[in-house]
Amino acid sequence: MAYLNRTTEQWQEIDSAHHLHPFTDYKSLAKEGSNIIVKADGVYLTNTDNKQFLDAMSGLWCVNVGYGRKILADVAYKQMQELPYYNSFFKTATAPSIELAQQLAEISPGDLNHAFFSSSGSEANDTVVRMVRRYWDLKGQPNKKTFISREYAYHGSTMTGMSLGGMTAMHEQGGMMPGFAHVMPPYWYKYGQEMSPEEFGIFTANKIEEKILELGPENIAAFIGEPIQGAGGVIIPPETYWPRVQEICSKYDILVVVDEVICGFGRTGNWFGSDTYGINPDIITMAKGISSGYIPLSGIMVGKRVSDVLIDEGGEFYHGYTYSGHPVACAVAIENLKIIREENLIENSKNTSVYLNEKMKEIADHPLVGEVRMKSYIGCVELVKDKEKGTMFEDTGAVGTICRDYCIENGLIMRAVRDGMIFCPPLIFSKNHIDELVEKLKKSLDQTHNHINKN
Ligand code: PXG
């Protein structure tokens, strides 16, 4: 492709002249220039200066099977030649969308047997809100419209995703829609250190009950939560949290929606985070790992309680997207699931994560590190002002950003959420990759420590 023949400087100039990036401070990007990635293989990325990076973030929490899987490209190529597009509206369908729906029903928890497809996590969560509200209308309880979520939750960036999510900075831009409420997340290190994690799990789950009683159970449609809050800083709930959430939702007849966009497809050591935490959801949201990010695809799996009502009593559901069940995306996802199954990636990554956990003890000893928390192949290294007292930095995010920049300089991609250094590596990450990650992270932490002590 002729246009690829440009220098880094040329790319950066064109980029800032014409391209508005997601979640970006445009002025500072124009000054610093983008890191332009041109190719990837396995767990490594290469940029326009031919510099290599170990990708400990699986892209944006999505490339579960790693880069360079030729078979996924071949499947897309074949499907594009045979049938590049057809829709699932007006009583039509395509073979890959039907096949994928069946395979997802097999691996999904409980009685989640019906799939509704879309192209991004945000769209899938929009479908959740439309479908749940429709369900309660059909049940003769039209006041049940409000969703309860958590602070620091991330459920997408559309108006619905942003409103479902608990990111105040996002609410301040665009205006949160009515019908969404947020409660304290089970973030023990930040809010719960005076209690045991087990007590804190119950304490934060009870915040949901308090919110239900405040707003009136007759007005609450559903609780939505990520099994582990990803973009909010890998907030790993105490074991007591989800069972209590489930109990509260049953008590007040409130649907449980589990956003599996990050936790799904092997991330926490099982197919779904719901399996890891014993959650029995009415609906789950899926994206990212469903296609390992090779092609945009998302969807929701709907349990019998909701699907029976929609199917038997619903009439036409006026909702759907041009690309719902896109045949190329579904064909790639089917092959992606096959890779995960045949290479035993979930079990293998869970086993190898024991080594990562062991190596992270070296990181936990670092004077900048308050705690390391992880579950299989997702985790966070919490950087703190005072390790002994467990006090966080006042200027939230500043130190995290410094450390993130050192990581990148050292050829390691990690994500900083506030002052938490996040890792979410491809499930193919080996012991050698783990050694490289820990060595580079340690170096970056030392540099960060020197940097902040100097200034
Ligand atoms: N739910 C969850 C749990 C997510 O993590 C979405 C929904 C929305 O998916 P789409 O495909 O609409 O982006 C996400 C996405 C970050 C970051 O900075 C995280 C996400 C997306 C972009 C950035 O960590 N998660």
Side-chain angles (χ1 to χ4, degrees), residues 164-182:
L164 275 174
M167 303 292 191
T168 44
M170 291 174 76
H171 298 160
E172 283 158 15
Q173 296 180 357
M176 203 176 88
M177 294 195 292
F180 300 91
H182 302 89

Side-chain angles (χ1 to χ4, degrees), residues 35-267:
N35 183 14
I36 299 151
I37 306 299
V38 283
K39 58 185 180 188
D41 195 28
V43 298
Y44 291 98
L45 306 167
T46 307
N47 74 6
T48 40
D49 296 328
N50 219 19
K51 182 175 163 80
Q52 255 206 358
F53 302 89
L54 177 70
D55 184 9
M57 271 312 292
S58 305
L60 212 42
W61 328 71
C62 56
V63 188
N64 290 15
V65 300
Y67 299 93
R69 297 282 190 165
K70 189 170 171 295
I71 183 74
L72 297 183
D74 289 343
V75 163
Y77 178 72
K78 272 198 206 119
Q79 185 61 46
M80 275 198 190
Q81 286 181 319
E82 206 164 291
L83 179 71
Y85 174 76
Y86 205 72
N87 61 72
S88 310
F89 285 55
F90 320 126
K91 297 186 191 168
T92 56
T94 62
S97 61
I98 299 171
E99 174 66 27
L100 180 61
Q102 186 197 29
Q103 292 196 12
L104 290 170
E106 273 167 26
I107 58 172
S108 293
D111 64 4
L112 303 180
N113 286 327
H114 284 86
F116 192 110
F117 292 115
S118 42
S119 307
S120 69
S122 303
E123 280 173 290
N125 278 329
D126 218 296
T127 299
V128 164
V129 174
R130 296 281 319 271
M131 193 180 282
V132 165
R133 288 182 174 170
R134 177 80 185 130
Y135 166 79
W136 286 117
D137 283 349
L138 290 166
K139 292 289 285 178
Q141 292 182 263
N143 290 335
K144 274 172 115 39
K145 289 262 184 310
T146 296
F147 279 72
I148 298 180
S149 168
R150 280 93 53 90
E151 291 147 19
Y152 292 134
Y154 193 84
H155 297 297
S157 190
T158 53
M159 285 301 292
T160 302
M162 172 267 277
S163 302
L164 275 174
M167 303 292 191
T168 44
M170 291 174 76
H171 298 160
E172 283 158 15
Q173 296 180 357
M176 203 176 88
M177 294 195 292
F180 300 91
H182 302 89
V183 296
M184 182 189 274
Y187 188 176
W188 179 81
Y189 195 86
K190 186 172 170 78
Y191 299 120
Q193 287 191 46
E194 71 285 0
M195 288 179 224
S196 72
E198 292 71 27
E199 285 167 338
F200 185 67
I202 300 290
F203 175 81
T204 39
N206 286 345
K207 294 282 173 195
I208 300 167
E209 184 168 35
E210 286 166 26
K211 187 56 85 178
I212 293 170
L213 293 172
E214 178 194 323
L215 301 176
E218 68 283 5
N219 298 315
I220 310 298
F223 170 76
I224 183 167
E226 305 151 74
I228 291 171
Q229 287 177 245
V234 184
I235 300 169
I236 301 186
E239 294 297 323
T240 49
Y241 181 74
W242 275 107
R244 180 77 185 124
V245 171
Q246 191 93 48
E247 212 172 85
I248 292 166
C249 291
S250 317
K251 181 170 166 195
Y252 297 101
D253 198 21
I254 283 158
L255 296 179
V256 175
V257 180
V258 178
D259 186 332
E260 297 272 6
V261 167
I262 286 178
C263 292
F265 305 96
R267 181 54 58 198

